[in-house]
Amino acid sequence: QVQLVESGGGSVQAGGSLRLSCAAAGFIYSSACMNWFRQAPGKEREAVASIGTGGGRTYYADSVKGRFTISQDNAKNTVYLQMSSLKPEDTAMYYCAADTMRHDCYKGTWSVATEYSYWGQGTQVTVSS
């Protein structure tokens, strides 16, 4: 079955960095749109960044552009989210999600949570001021 396992969360001070990892299994990793979502207490889940494992397209939320970088290692079936210049407002549970119905990510769907069939359990990121 499909498994997405996140790791790398933790607590950092503002301005610091963290790298999240999402290890994927149980589907054709080379043909999917992989995404990082986040959800803070009392807020809606929001898309952070996505990468197409087949086509390589990447998309970012405006709030993280220039600070976060999404990447992948096809040999390890793993997606990464490098987060730099972290702010207290980045504090949230971060979830890895997979849309296995697409070969790549696309502008109209990359940020829509309902397009993703599979989700990890999440990893907490806490940024203190």
Side-chain angles (χ1 to χ4, degrees), residues 5-20:
V5 180
E6 303 100 332
S7 61
S11 297
V12 296
Q13 291 191 325
S17 300
L18 282 173
R19 189 178 81 156
L20 306 184

Side-chain angles (χ1 to χ4, degrees), residues 32-78:
C33 176
M34 303 294 293
N35 197 317
W36 287 98
F37 285 83
R38 66 185 181 186
Q39 187 166 21
K43 295 188 177 181
E44 292 186 357
R45 186 170 296 188
E46 65 170 335
V48 175
S50 70
I51 187 166
T53 61
R57 287 194 183 98
T58 58
Y59 293 93
Y60 295 90
D62 289 342
S63 58
V64 306
K65 281 181 181 177
R67 300 188 299 121
F68 291 11
T69 302
I70 191 169
S71 62
Q72 62 172 334
D73 184 336
N74 281 357
K76 296 182 178 179
N77 286 7
T78 300

